[in-house]
Amino acid sequence: MRKAIRKLMIASLMLGAMLFLFSTNSNAQDWTVPANYKSMKNPKAGDADAGNVGKALWDQHCKSCHGKEGYGDGSKADELDTELRDFSTDEVQSQTDGELYYKAIIGRDEMPNFEKKIPSEADRWLLINYIRTLKK
Ligand code: HEC
């Protein structure tokens, strides 16, 4: 009898640990970007965006989840299981352009892949530049 109770306790502890790991897994905190992307140089760094390409892409493809100003309050945000970070904060802005590029274009899970929808390399970097303007 004692043995059975101990087994039950161990099983429930293990289940608890698994649930904990699972619940923290989908957190944006631990999204490791491959080193070759992380150090990627932005060929459009500091360039003016006369045609407002970055903003237009943001409004077309990103705003629905991330919100107009990147606060994570887009119309689709409530449907997501993954927490959206506030793009105006250091948490996002302290990352390299290459890190943001990887996350924005390659994506993972609920963050869509945009390689096909945003095929132009130049446009992708103008979008990264636009993300920089969301900093407060
Ligand atoms: C369908 C909703 C959705 C759309 C549309 C979307 N995103 Fe995301 N995005 C997410 C989710 C969810 C995450 C968090 C993903 C994770 O941590 O696994 C995320 C994360 C990110 C991150 C990483 C933030 C960080 O610091 O961890 C960047 C950068 C990003 N998105 C950029 C974009 C850009 C740029 C677009 C438009 C081209 C876009 N997203 C469109 C849902 C979306």
Side-chain angles (χ1 to χ4, degrees), residues 18-128:
M18 271 164 60
L19 284 175
F20 175 74
L21 283 176
F22 186 72
S23 65
T24 51
N25 193 28
S26 61
N27 211 313
Q29 260 69 342
D30 44 323
W31 188 347
T32 311
V33 171
N36 55 325
Y37 275 94
K38 193 169 176 174
S39 61
M40 209 158 49
K41 215 171 151 322
N42 178 352
K44 293 273 171 190
D47 283 12
D49 182 3
N52 280 323
V53 173
K55 182 183 178 352
L57 287 171
W58 178 267
D59 288 350
Q60 188 186 347
H61 298 296
C62 322
K63 198 171 78 173
S64 58
C65 288
H66 290 286
K68 185 169 182 283
E69 319 242 19
Y71 298 145
D73 56 353
S75 56
K76 285 199 221 155
D78 285 346
E79 298 165 23
L80 300 169
D81 293 327
T82 319
E83 200 182 311
L84 293 173
R85 283 177 167 177
D86 179 346
F87 278 34
S88 72
T89 61
D90 270 357
E91 194 173 45
V92 171
Q93 296 293 337
S94 65
Q95 299 179 54
T96 66
D97 282 356
E99 277 175 295
L100 295 177
Y101 176 102
Y102 180 84
K103 292 178 173 184
I105 305 303
I106 308 299
R108 75 167 180 185
D109 305 329
E110 286 190 309
M111 170 59 209
N113 176 286
F114 282 99
E115 287 174 289
K116 287 216 177 79
K117 283 191 177 149
I118 310 176
S120 156
E121 195 65 23
D123 288 359
R124 292 174 182 178
W125 288 110
L126 290 173
L127 177 59
I128 301 307

